[in-house]
């Protein structure tokens, strides 16, 4: 049979810390005030808080610790997150064999102990200390940290490192106050919008959370967030983007709309579980991105004329191909903008809808309710559109419906993931589309890549271009007699990268009788490519070389995306 626990008043009386009359008086007062006997004794000044804590430890058979004599070291404090220390007024003492020795003040608060076991994923061995000494110790330690951090933040502020300063301020702030984390996340997003960033990558590592910005297609390490702030930052991102904050095992997608400097900016957010925690990527969708106009895409004069001629045809399929981030959506939106007139009905099926365009009917794919590309495409054809945009042809079913739409008098725009334009034909046939349908429905295919452009502020002639790069691009000595090659020397405008902004390089394959016959005969991509080049198609490499000689980009950039065949 379990031994009956002695009452607190009895322990104090037996130890000579209170007489019988005062104990009776305190018991009556505690009943009237409906509070614990210990709290009443402290308020009446009959027993000190330290002696009450010692008696509580004796009552529950627990160890008592005097924090004045045995303070917790800075390294020991790191055993548990700072937000738990602050919120629950507890201190770690040690950890051995998966069990955490935790300094608390009230062993009867079983709910809090259960929460701490869950939050810390550890069994807990409570140790008792007086509540005021625990609170005073925490406040004293936090003041020391704040002093150090404020001094560091002041130094950084003088150097203009606003994001680092905000990270440090968030570290110093009270953890149950969400304000600093909110400010940090807001600054992270706003700073990215103002500095030509296309994506924000928040990536948990073993000992830190790495922040990288993608600028002009290249990832640049921006800052590190302390590891203990990872959970708070990720939770804030999920709340902003409408994700389930309790789901950490499965990928999630969300969206944020935020006003920055008077402009409404959309952010597409993706969370992916990883070894060190969830990685979050924000794709910045600026409204002006789709207002660049066809002329600003970077098409050569011949390709520009071809492009306009193709998109103004009454029917057929126009495909844009390239890897993720190659500007396919921008190209297609530019085409839709050119066609977006009151006399034309345009419907899109997208996953997701990246930009809202006035005058166009846009449909969002929602796989969770089985609203797929195929289902939307079938339904939109009953709406009598003139122009249809399918965000991406992912399988044979969508390809078949798109081709049927093209053959029944609709102009269809879509994207496909292939390396070059001729490969799109063989890709569709591999999906199961009949070769004669591919041959008869496709009007043109455009492949594209984005290359960084040389910064105008530091553009200089490259007197000694790398001969290996020139060989890869098939640039011969004779080509350099009449053409100069340029590079960026690096300046403050481009953060010493030598590049600022991006421009497309393109190849447009316009179908003709020969190419249709080859498609019908299931010819390989190589055969199709040679026939397309013979019929006047400028390849990605040729377009890239043209932009090198015009001083728009560098051999290094073009070689990243297109090289001469061996």
């Amino acid at each position: 049979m379990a031994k009956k626990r002695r009452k607190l008043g009895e322990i104090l009386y037996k130890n000579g810390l209170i007489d019988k009359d005062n104990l009776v008086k305190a018991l009556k007062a505690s009943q009237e005030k409906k509070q614990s006997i210990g709290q009443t004794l402290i308020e009446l000044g009959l027993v000190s808080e330290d002696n009450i804590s010692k008696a509580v430890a004796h009552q529950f058979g627990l160890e008592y610790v005097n924090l004045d004599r045995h303070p917790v070291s800075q390294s020991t404090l790191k055993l548990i997150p700072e937000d738990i220390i602050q919120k629950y007024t507890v201190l770690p003492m040690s950890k051995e064999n998966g069990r955490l020795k935790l300094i608390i003040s009230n062993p009867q608060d079983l709910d809090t102990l259960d929460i701490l076991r869950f939050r810390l994923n550890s069994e807990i061995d409570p140790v008792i200390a007086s509540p005021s000494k625990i609170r005073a110790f925490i406040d004293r330690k936090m003041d020391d940290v704040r002093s150090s951090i404020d001094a560091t933040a002041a130094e950084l502020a003088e150097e203009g490192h606003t994001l680092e300063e905000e990270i440090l301020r968030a570290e110093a702030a009270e953890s149950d106050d969400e304000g600093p984390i909110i400010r940090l996340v807001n600054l992270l997003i706003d700073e990215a919008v103002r500095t030509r960033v296309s994506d924000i990558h928040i990536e948990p590592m073993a000992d830190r959370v790495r922040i990288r910005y993608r600028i002009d297609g290249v990832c640049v390490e921006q800052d590190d967030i302390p590891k203990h702030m990872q959970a708070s930052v990720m939770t804030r991102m999920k709340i902003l983007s409408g994700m389930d904050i309790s789901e950490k095992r499965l990928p999630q997608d969300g969206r944020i709309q935020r006003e920055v400097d008077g402009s409404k900016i959309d952010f597409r957010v993706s969370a992916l579980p990883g070894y060190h925690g969830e990685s979050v990527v924000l794709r910045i969708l600026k409204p002006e991105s789709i207002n660049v106009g066809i002329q600003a895409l970077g098409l050569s004069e011949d390709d520009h004329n071809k492009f306009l001629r193709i998109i103004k045809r009454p029917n057929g399929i126009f495909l844009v191909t390239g890897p993720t981030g190659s500007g396919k959506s921008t190209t297609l939106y530019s085409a839709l903008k050119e066609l977006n007139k009151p006399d034309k009905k345009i419907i899109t099926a997208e996953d997701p809808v990246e930009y809202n365009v006035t005058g166009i009917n846009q449909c969002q794919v929602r796989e969770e309710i089985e609203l797929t590309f195929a289902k939307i495409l079938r339904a939109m054809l009953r709406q009598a559109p003139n122009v249809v945009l399918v965000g991406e042809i992912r399988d044979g079913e969508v390809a078949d419906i798109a081709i049927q739409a093209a053959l029944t008098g609709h102009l269809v725009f879509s994207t496909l993931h292939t390396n070059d334009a001729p490969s799109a034909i063989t890709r569709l046939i591999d999906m199961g589309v009949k070769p004669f349908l591919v041959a008869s429905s496709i009007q043109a295919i455009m492949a594209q890549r984005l290359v960084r452009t040389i910064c105008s502020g530091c553009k200089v002639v490259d007197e000694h271009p790398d001969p290996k790069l020139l060989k890869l691009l098939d640039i011969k000595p004779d080509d350099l007699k009449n053409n100069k090659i340029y590079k960026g020397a690096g300046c403050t405008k481009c953060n010493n990268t030598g590049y600022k902004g991006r421009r497309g390089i393109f190849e447009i394959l316009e179908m003709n009788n020969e190419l249709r016959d080859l498609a019908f005969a299931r010819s390989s991509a190589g055969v199709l490519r040679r026939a397309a080049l013979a019929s006047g198609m400028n390849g990605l490499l040729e377009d890239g070389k043209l932009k090198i000689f015009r001083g728009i980009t560098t051999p290094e950039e073009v070689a990243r995306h297109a090289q001469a065949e061996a």
Side-chain angles (χ1 to χ4, degrees), residues 163 166-167 169-171 173-191 225 229 231-240 256 258:
L163 188 58
E166 203 59 58
I167 290 169
R169 289 188 188 283
E171 276 197 278
E174 295 287 343
S175 59
D176 56 354
D177 173 15
E178 292 184 342
I181 293 295
I182 292 172
R183 287 198 305 273
L184 172 61
V185 170
N186 289 348
L187 182 64
L188 188 69
I189 293 171
D190 293 354
E191 186 182 79
I225 291 175
M229 292 170 65
S232 300
V233 170
M234 295 304 181
T235 299
R236 179 61 186 163
M237 285 294 183
K238 286 185 171 183
I239 290 170
L240 282 174
I256 299 171
R258 178 174 173 77

Side-chain angles (χ1 to χ4, degrees), residues 490-563:
C491 64
T492 55
K493 283 185 179 179
C494 59
N495 292 325
N496 291 312
T497 62
Y499 299 99
K500 188 171 183 182
R502 288 190 291 175
R503 191 72 64 87
I505 57 173
F506 307 90
E507 64 180 26
I508 299 180
L509 182 155
E510 196 169 8
M511 293 295 280
N512 55 30
N513 290 334
E514 183 187 359
L515 289 168
R516 292 187 200 282
D517 289 341
L518 290 171
F520 183 73
R522 293 176 176 262
S523 298
S524 68
V527 172
L528 288 163
R529 181 167 191 81
R530 285 192 291 273
L533 290 170
S535 65
M537 180 183 83
N538 271 334
L540 288 170
L541 179 60
E542 292 305 315
D543 195 41
K545 285 162 67 174
L546 188 66
K547 289 178 169 65
I548 290 171
F549 296 144
R550 288 182 177 174
I552 295 170
T553 190
T554 64
E556 182 182 11
E557 273 299 292
V558 174
R560 286 173 56 213
H561 302 288
Q563 296 179 8

Side-chain angles (χ1 to χ4, degrees), residues 10-19:
E10 182 186 348
I11 294 169
L12 294 168
Y13 178 71
K14 289 284 185 184
N15 289 337
L17 295 171
I18 190 170
D19 59 37

Side-chain angles (χ1 to χ4, degrees), residues 34 156 159 193 225 227 257 260 288 313 320 359 362 424 519:
K34 295 181 179 179
L156 290 169
E159 298 172 15
V193 172
I225 291 175
K227 186 69 176 176
Q257 188 174 73
V260 181
E288 63 267 23
R313 288 178 181 173
V320 179
Q362 296 173 273

Side-chain angles (χ1 to χ4, degrees), residues 391-412:
E392 183 184 344
I393 294 179
R394 296 179 178 174
D395 53 49
E397 184 183 14
V398 175
D400 276 328
I401 301 167
I403 284 171
Q404 291 302 327
L407 294 174
T408 52
H410 303 87
L411 180 60
V412 180

Side-chain angles (χ1 to χ4, degrees), residues 325-549:
S326 59
K328 298 187 298 293
S329 296
T330 301
T331 297
L332 287 179
Y333 275 116
S334 298
L336 292 184
K337 185 187 172 193
E338 182 75 17
L339 300 173
N340 189 12
K341 303 289 190 296
D343 62 334
K344 278 190 170 55
K345 175 154 186 166
I346 302 173
I347 307 181
T348 74
E350 302 172 69
D351 183 21
V353 174
E354 294 191 352
Y355 303 99
N356 293 312
V357 183
T358 304
I360 293 177
N361 302 277
Q362 296 173 273
C363 302
Q364 167 80 52
V365 170
R366 296 179 64 189
E367 297 283 355
E368 68 274 14
I369 59 170
E370 297 183 0
L371 186 62
T372 60
F373 274 120
K375 192 170 282 189
I376 292 173
L377 195 46
R378 285 194 187 95
M380 69 167 60
L381 295 180
R382 295 194 288 271
Q383 299 263 318
N386 301 103
V387 181
V388 170
L389 181 140
V390 183
E392 183 184 344
I393 294 179
R394 296 179 178 174
D395 53 49
E397 184 183 14
V398 175
D400 276 328
I401 301 167
I403 284 171
Q404 291 302 327
L407 294 174
T408 52
H410 303 87
L411 180 60
V412 180
F413 294 148
S414 191
T415 69
L416 199 63
H417 287 284
T418 61
N419 288 327
D420 60 9
S423 297
I425 295 172
T426 55
R427 177 85 177 101
L428 289 173
I429 294 171
D430 288 342
M431 282 182 179
V433 181
K434 291 181 174 59
F436 76 90
L437 291 176
V438 174
S440 56
S441 61
I442 290 179
Q443 295 288 353
I445 304 162
M446 182 165 84
Q448 68 178 71
R449 302 288 190 276
L450 290 176
V451 295
R452 291 184 291 174
T453 53
I454 300 170
C455 172
S456 59
C458 58
K459 182 176 174 181
V460 294
V461 174
D462 188 354
E463 300 289 354
H464 304 287
D466 187 339
K468 291 180 182 177
L469 289 175
L470 299 183
K471 186 176 180 180
L472 284 174
L473 300 178
D474 194 29
I475 296 176
K476 297 179 172 58
D478 287 346
D479 296 328
L480 298 178
K481 288 178 181 178
N482 300 316
N483 298 289
K484 290 181 180 178
I485 292 178
Y486 295 85
K487 66 177 182 179
C491 64
T492 55
K493 283 185 179 179
C494 59
N495 292 325
N496 291 312
T497 62
Y499 299 99
K500 188 171 183 182
R502 288 190 291 175
R503 191 72 64 87
I505 57 173
F506 307 90
E507 64 180 26
I508 299 180
L509 182 155
E510 196 169 8
M511 293 295 280
N512 55 30
N513 290 334
E514 183 187 359
L515 289 168
R516 292 187 200 282
D517 289 341
L518 290 171
F520 183 73
R522 293 176 176 262
S523 298
S524 68
V527 172
L528 288 163
R529 181 167 191 81
R530 285 192 291 273
L533 290 170
S535 65
M537 180 183 83
N538 271 334
L540 288 170
L541 179 60
E542 292 305 315
D543 195 41
K545 285 162 67 174
L546 188 66
K547 289 178 169 65
I548 290 171
F549 296 144

